Amino acid sequence: AQVPPIEKMDAALQTLTACKHLSLSTNNIEKIQPLTGLENLKILSLGKNLIKKLDNLDGVAETLEELWISYNNVEKLKGVQQLTKLRVLYASNNKIEDFDELNKLTELSKLEELLLVGNPIYTEAEEPNAIGSDYRLMVLKRVPQLM
């Protein structure tokens, strides 16, 4: 028997105080609920959901090192800039179409991995994989710590 997909993150998550890696991928979650109490969380995996906004991340702003949000409906990166320890942001196959959204990553000094494949800013670029491509230059201009 198949387990029905999770549609909502609820307050029960706040009891997972020792949790280091929370995986809620491949569900029908539309909204990130407050993550208060998850003071040890380092990896939050929310890929393959229906998330549009990166809200309510302040509860893990001091600890989160990896955010996996690929295959969602995210257009804007607002909310990510408070994740001061973020090293990895997997945000492929979303709806990010404006390079200026990457300006929100400028202050994330520890960021070393960024995945944007499958977003309009990537798919509409000419030869985005080519070294020296306009796409790569636009990303590095906004997120120089990736160099």
Side-chain angles (χ1 to χ4, degrees):
Q2 234 181 338
V3 178
I6 297 169
E7 294 185 0
K8 190 176 174 201
M9 297 168 73
D10 65 24
L13 290 174
Q14 296 176 9
T15 64
L16 304 174
T17 55
C19 181
K20 291 183 179 175
H21 182 166
L22 180 60
S23 181
L24 294 169
S25 295
T26 316
N27 281 294
N28 291 332
I29 298 168
E30 292 183 16
K31 197 173 172 190
I32 300 172
Q33 297 299 329
L35 298 167
T36 319
L38 295 170
E39 60 244 14
N40 292 297
L41 194 67
K42 294 193 181 311
I43 302 172
L44 179 58
S45 177
L46 291 168
K48 295 185 179 175
N49 275 290
L50 305 169
I51 296 166
K52 292 181 179 161
K53 292 182 177 174
L54 301 178
D55 290 336
N56 296 316
L57 294 171
D58 41 335
V60 293
E62 302 294 313
T63 59
L64 201 67
E65 294 178 10
E66 299 189 19
L67 179 58
W68 306 350
I69 50 159
S70 295
Y71 295 93
N72 274 288
N73 298 312
V74 175
E75 291 178 29
K76 311 245 181 254
L77 293 173
K78 184 177 184 274
V80 170
Q81 65 271 26
Q82 64 189 323
L83 304 174
T84 55
K85 290 196 166 72
L86 199 69
R87 292 183 307 101
V88 175
L89 177 59
Y90 295 143
S92 68
N93 298 286
N94 275 288
K95 300 189 183 225
I96 302 166
E97 52 188 51
D98 188 348
F99 276 103
D100 287 342
E101 282 306 305
L102 302 183
N103 293 341
K104 296 175 178 115
L105 307 177
T106 306
E107 300 301 312
L108 301 177
S109 61
K110 293 181 171 33
L111 192 66
E112 56 192 38
E113 266 186 72
L114 175 64
L115 188 62
L116 297 168
V117 174
N119 280 284
I121 61 171
Y122 182 90
T123 56
E124 293 168 12
E126 280 187 47
E127 297 182 41
N129 281 327
I131 293 172
S133 70
D134 286 348
Y135 165 79
R136 284 180 176 229
L137 294 173
M138 295 284 273
V139 170
L140 291 175
K141 181 178 167 186
R142 289 166 173 79
V143 196
Q145 64 271 39
L146 294 174
M147 281 198 254

